[in-house]
Amino acid sequence: MPVSTPSFTVRPATIDDIPAVLDNLLDNSLEDLLRYKINPVLSLAIDMENSKAYLALTEDNKPAALFGFESDCFWMHMCRGMEEHPVAFMKFAKRWFNNRKPKFLWNHTGIEYTQAIKMAKFFGFKILRVFPSTLTNTYLVEMANVWTY
């Protein structure tokens, strides 16, 4: 019997999504929030308020990722729904990005998050530089993506 590819949906994120997202964050995403911010609930609320935020959901309405665009900066908090269907999510997210085609996006992430760096490269981001973070005493990887029309 063939197994169908799980589908995802994307909708604008709301403040009401924060509890479900926090309950489903991957461990490294939660650690990242706790490292940079004092309160994860307020941190997500600020991210959503200052950005055009979206929530990607699995077929069974579990959060796969909370992500957004703040000016030209792209950010993402990965959830367990993504971990359950990683290949399907990557393909879906890449198609979703390609349909939006912003002219320019940039991002930076901790060098220890190889999963996020590989995902960004899959989305077409190029690594610009690695630099020390004075906030966390680690290194950050800065990436950018430029679309041509």
Short mmCIF file of all heavy atoms in Angstrom, two decimals, residues 108-141:
data_model
loop_
_atom_site.label_atom_id
_atom_site.label_comp_id
_atom_site.label_asym_id
_atom_site.label_seq_id
_atom_site.Cartn_x
_atom_site.Cartn_y
_atom_site.Cartn_z
N HIS A 108 20.92 34.71 10.58
CA HIS A 108 22.12 34.20 11.24
C HIS A 108 21.67 33.20 12.29
O HIS A 108 20.60 33.32 12.87
CB HIS A 108 23.00 35.31 11.82
CG HIS A 108 22.38 36.07 12.94
ND1 HIS A 108 21.71 37.24 12.75
CD2 HIS A 108 22.34 35.82 14.27
CE1 HIS A 108 21.26 37.69 13.90
NE2 HIS A 108 21.62 36.84 14.84
N THR A 109 22.49 32.19 12.47
CA THR A 109 22.19 31.12 13.42
C THR A 109 23.48 30.67 14.06
O THR A 109 24.56 30.88 13.53
CB THR A 109 21.46 29.95 12.72
OG1 THR A 109 21.00 29.03 13.70
CG2 THR A 109 22.37 29.22 11.75
N GLY A 110 23.35 30.03 15.21
CA GLY A 110 24.53 29.52 15.91
C GLY A 110 25.21 28.44 15.09
O GLY A 110 24.55 27.63 14.43
N ILE A 111 26.52 28.44 15.13
CA ILE A 111 27.28 27.49 14.32
C ILE A 111 27.01 26.04 14.74
O ILE A 111 27.16 25.11 13.94
CB ILE A 111 28.80 27.82 14.38
CG1 ILE A 111 29.53 27.15 13.22
CG2 ILE A 111 29.39 27.44 15.74
CD1 ILE A 111 30.92 27.68 13.00
N GLU A 112 26.55 25.85 15.96
CA GLU A 112 26.26 24.50 16.44
C GLU A 112 24.97 23.92 15.85
O GLU A 112 24.74 22.72 15.92
CB GLU A 112 26.21 24.46 17.97
CG GLU A 112 25.05 25.21 18.59
CD GLU A 112 25.31 26.69 18.82
OE1 GLU A 112 26.26 27.27 18.26
OE2 GLU A 112 24.54 27.28 19.59
N TYR A 113 24.13 24.75 15.25
CA TYR A 113 22.85 24.28 14.70
C TYR A 113 23.02 23.88 13.24
O TYR A 113 22.53 24.54 12.32
CB TYR A 113 21.77 25.34 14.86
CG TYR A 113 21.51 25.69 16.29
CD1 TYR A 113 21.67 26.98 16.75
CD2 TYR A 113 21.15 24.71 17.21
CE1 TYR A 113 21.45 27.29 18.09
CE2 TYR A 113 20.93 25.02 18.55
CZ TYR A 113 21.08 26.30 18.97
OH TYR A 113 20.87 26.62 20.29
N THR A 114 23.70 22.77 13.03
CA THR A 114 23.99 22.32 11.67
C THR A 114 22.71 22.00 10.90
O THR A 114 22.65 22.20 9.70
CB THR A 114 24.91 21.09 11.69
OG1 THR A 114 24.31 20.07 12.49
CG2 THR A 114 26.28 21.44 12.25
N GLN A 115 21.68 21.53 11.60
CA GLN A 115 20.40 21.23 10.95
C GLN A 115 19.81 22.50 10.33
O GLN A 115 19.36 22.49 9.19
CB GLN A 115 19.44 20.63 11.99
CG GLN A 115 18.09 20.27 11.46
CD GLN A 115 17.17 19.78 12.57
OE1 GLN A 115 17.39 20.03 13.74
NE2 GLN A 115 16.13 19.07 12.19
N ALA A 116 19.82 23.59 11.06
CA ALA A 116 19.28 24.86 10.54
C ALA A 116 20.13 25.39 9.39
O ALA A 116 19.60 25.94 8.41
CB ALA A 116 19.20 25.89 11.67
N ILE A 117 21.44 25.23 9.48
CA ILE A 117 22.33 25.70 8.42
C ILE A 117 22.10 24.89 7.14
O ILE A 117 22.00 25.45 6.04
CB ILE A 117 23.81 25.63 8.87
CG1 ILE A 117 24.03 26.62 10.03
CG2 ILE A 117 24.75 25.92 7.71
CD1 ILE A 117 25.35 26.44 10.75
N LYS A 118 21.96 23.57 7.28
CA LYS A 118 21.69 22.73 6.11
C LYS A 118 20.34 23.09 5.48
O LYS A 118 20.20 23.12 4.26
CB LYS A 118 21.70 21.25 6.50
CG LYS A 118 23.08 20.71 6.78
CD LYS A 118 23.02 19.26 7.20
CE LYS A 118 24.39 18.74 7.59
NZ LYS A 118 24.33 17.35 8.07
N MET A 119 19.34 23.37 6.33
CA MET A 119 18.03 23.74 5.82
C MET A 119 18.11 25.06 5.05
O MET A 119 17.55 25.19 3.96
CB MET A 119 17.01 23.86 6.95
CG MET A 119 15.64 24.19 6.44
SD MET A 119 14.31 24.26 7.65
CE MET A 119 15.06 24.15 9.21
N ALA A 120 18.82 26.04 5.60
CA ALA A 120 18.95 27.33 4.93
C ALA A 120 19.65 27.15 3.58
O ALA A 120 19.26 27.78 2.58
CB ALA A 120 19.71 28.31 5.82
N LYS A 121 20.68 26.31 3.54
CA LYS A 121 21.37 26.07 2.27
C LYS A 121 20.43 25.40 1.26
O LYS A 121 20.44 25.72 0.08
CB LYS A 121 22.62 25.23 2.51
CG LYS A 121 23.72 26.02 3.20
CD LYS A 121 24.89 25.17 3.61
CE LYS A 121 25.78 24.87 2.44
NZ LYS A 121 26.99 24.13 2.84
N PHE A 122 19.57 24.50 1.75
CA PHE A 122 18.59 23.85 0.87
C PHE A 122 17.61 24.87 0.31
O PHE A 122 17.17 24.76 -0.82
CB PHE A 122 17.85 22.76 1.66
CG PHE A 122 16.82 22.01 0.87
CD1 PHE A 122 17.21 21.06 -0.08
CD2 PHE A 122 15.47 22.26 1.05
CE1 PHE A 122 16.25 20.38 -0.82
CE2 PHE A 122 14.51 21.57 0.32
CZ PHE A 122 14.91 20.63 -0.61
N PHE A 123 17.27 25.89 1.11
CA PHE A 123 16.36 26.95 0.66
C PHE A 123 17.05 27.93 -0.29
O PHE A 123 16.41 28.83 -0.81
CB PHE A 123 15.81 27.73 1.84
CG PHE A 123 14.86 26.97 2.72
CD1 PHE A 123 14.60 27.39 4.00
CD2 PHE A 123 14.22 25.83 2.28
CE1 PHE A 123 13.73 26.71 4.82
CE2 PHE A 123 13.33 25.13 3.09
CZ PHE A 123 13.09 25.58 4.36
N GLY A 124 18.36 27.79 -0.47
CA GLY A 124 19.09 28.65 -1.40
C GLY A 124 19.93 29.72 -0.74
O GLY A 124 20.52 30.56 -1.42
N PHE A 125 20.01 29.72 0.59
CA PHE A 125 20.85 30.70 1.28
C PHE A 125 22.32 30.35 1.08
O PHE A 125 22.69 29.18 1.00
CB PHE A 125 20.55 30.71 2.78
CG PHE A 125 19.27 31.41 3.14
CD1 PHE A 125 18.04 30.83 2.90
CD2 PHE A 125 19.30 32.66 3.74
CE1 PHE A 125 16.86 31.47 3.23
CE2 PHE A 125 18.13 33.32 4.08
CZ PHE A 125 16.91 32.72 3.82
N LYS A 126 23.15 31.36 0.99
CA LYS A 126 24.60 31.20 0.88
C LYS A 126 25.23 31.74 2.15
O LYS A 126 24.81 32.77 2.68
CB LYS A 126 25.16 31.98 -0.32
CG LYS A 126 24.53 31.62 -1.64
CD LYS A 126 24.89 30.23 -2.07
CE LYS A 126 24.32 29.95 -3.45
NZ LYS A 126 23.76 28.66 -3.61
N ILE A 127 26.26 31.05 2.62
CA ILE A 127 26.95 31.49 3.83
C ILE A 127 27.85 32.67 3.48
O ILE A 127 28.65 32.60 2.54
CB ILE A 127 27.76 30.34 4.44
CG1 ILE A 127 26.80 29.26 4.95
CG2 ILE A 127 28.66 30.84 5.57
CD1 ILE A 127 27.47 28.02 5.47
N LEU A 128 27.69 33.76 4.23
CA LEU A 128 28.49 34.96 4.00
C LEU A 128 29.71 35.01 4.90
O LEU A 128 30.80 35.34 4.46
CB LEU A 128 27.65 36.21 4.24
CG LEU A 128 26.41 36.37 3.37
CD1 LEU A 128 25.64 37.62 3.78
CD2 LEU A 128 26.80 36.44 1.90
N ARG A 129 29.49 34.71 6.18
CA ARG A 129 30.62 34.79 7.11
C ARG A 129 30.27 34.08 8.41
O ARG A 129 29.11 33.80 8.70
CB ARG A 129 30.98 36.24 7.41
CG ARG A 129 29.89 36.99 8.16
CD ARG A 129 30.24 38.44 8.40
NE ARG A 129 29.13 39.11 9.05
CZ ARG A 129 29.24 39.95 10.05
NH1 ARG A 129 30.43 40.25 10.52
NH2 ARG A 129 28.19 40.52 10.58
N VAL A 130 31.30 33.78 9.16
CA VAL A 130 31.18 33.25 10.53
C VAL A 130 31.81 34.28 11.44
O VAL A 130 32.92 34.75 11.18
CB VAL A 130 31.90 31.88 10.65
CG1 VAL A 130 31.83 31.37 12.07
CG2 VAL A 130 31.30 30.87 9.68
N PHE A 131 31.09 34.65 12.51
CA PHE A 131 31.61 35.69 13.39
C PHE A 131 31.26 35.37 14.84
O PHE A 131 30.29 34.66 15.11
CB PHE A 131 31.07 37.07 12.98
CG PHE A 131 29.58 37.20 13.06
CD1 PHE A 131 28.98 37.77 14.18
CD2 PHE A 131 28.76 36.75 12.03
CE1 PHE A 131 27.60 37.89 14.27
CE2 PHE A 131 27.39 36.88 12.10
CZ PHE A 131 26.81 37.45 13.23
N PRO A 132 32.06 35.87 15.78
CA PRO A 132 31.79 35.59 17.20
C PRO A 132 30.59 36.39 17.70
O PRO A 132 30.39 37.54 17.32
CB PRO A 132 33.07 36.02 17.90
CG PRO A 132 33.73 36.97 16.97
CD PRO A 132 33.29 36.62 15.58
N SER A 133 29.80 35.74 18.55
CA SER A 133 28.68 36.42 19.19
C SER A 133 29.12 36.84 20.58
O SER A 133 29.51 36.01 21.40
CB SER A 133 27.48 35.48 19.30
OG SER A 133 26.50 36.03 20.16
N THR A 134 29.04 38.13 20.85
CA THR A 134 29.42 38.61 22.18
C THR A 134 28.36 38.28 23.22
O THR A 134 28.65 38.22 24.40
CB THR A 134 29.65 40.13 22.15
OG1 THR A 134 28.47 40.76 21.66
CG2 THR A 134 30.82 40.48 21.27
N LEU A 135 27.14 38.02 22.76
CA LEU A 135 26.04 37.72 23.67
C LEU A 135 26.14 36.32 24.26
O LEU A 135 25.87 36.11 25.44
CB LEU A 135 24.70 37.89 22.94
CG LEU A 135 23.44 37.74 23.75
CD1 LEU A 135 23.38 38.80 24.85
CD2 LEU A 135 22.22 37.86 22.85
N THR A 136 26.55 35.34 23.44
CA THR A 136 26.54 33.94 23.89
C THR A 136 27.92 33.29 23.94
O THR A 136 28.02 32.12 24.28
CB THR A 136 25.66 33.10 22.96
OG1 THR A 136 26.19 33.17 21.64
CG2 THR A 136 24.22 33.57 22.98
N ASN A 137 28.95 34.00 23.58
CA ASN A 137 30.31 33.45 23.54
C ASN A 137 30.41 32.23 22.62
O ASN A 137 31.13 31.28 22.90
CB ASN A 137 30.80 33.10 24.94
CG ASN A 137 31.03 34.34 25.77
OD1 ASN A 137 31.41 35.38 25.25
ND2 ASN A 137 30.77 34.24 27.06
N THR A 138 29.64 32.24 21.54
CA THR A 138 29.73 31.20 20.51
C THR A 138 29.93 31.91 19.18
O THR A 138 30.08 33.12 19.13
CB THR A 138 28.45 30.35 20.46
OG1 THR A 138 27.34 31.20 20.14
CG2 THR A 138 28.19 29.63 21.76
N TYR A 139 29.89 31.14 18.11
CA TYR A 139 30.01 31.71 16.77
C TYR A 139 28.67 31.65 16.06
O TYR A 139 27.89 30.71 16.24
CB TYR A 139 31.07 30.96 15.96
CG TYR A 139 32.46 31.31 16.39
CD1 TYR A 139 33.11 30.59 17.39
CD2 TYR A 139 33.14 32.38 15.82
CE1 TYR A 139 34.38 30.92 17.81
CE2 TYR A 139 34.42 32.72 16.23
CZ TYR A 139 35.03 31.99 17.22
OH TYR A 139 36.29 32.33 17.62
N LEU A 140 28.41 32.66 15.26
CA LEU A 140 27.20 32.72 14.45
C LEU A 140 27.57 32.61 12.97
O LEU A 140 28.63 33.07 12.56
CB LEU A 140 26.45 34.03 14.68
CG LEU A 140 25.91 34.26 16.09
CD1 LEU A 140 25.29 35.64 16.21
CD2 LEU A 140 24.91 33.19 16.47
N VAL A 141 26.67 32.02 12.20
CA VAL A 141 26.83 31.91 10.76
C VAL A 141 25.82 32.85 10.13
O VAL A 141 24.62 32.74 10.38
CB VAL A 141 26.58 30.46 10.28
CG1 VAL A 141 26.68 30.37 8.77
CG2 VAL A 141 27.55 29.51 10.95
#
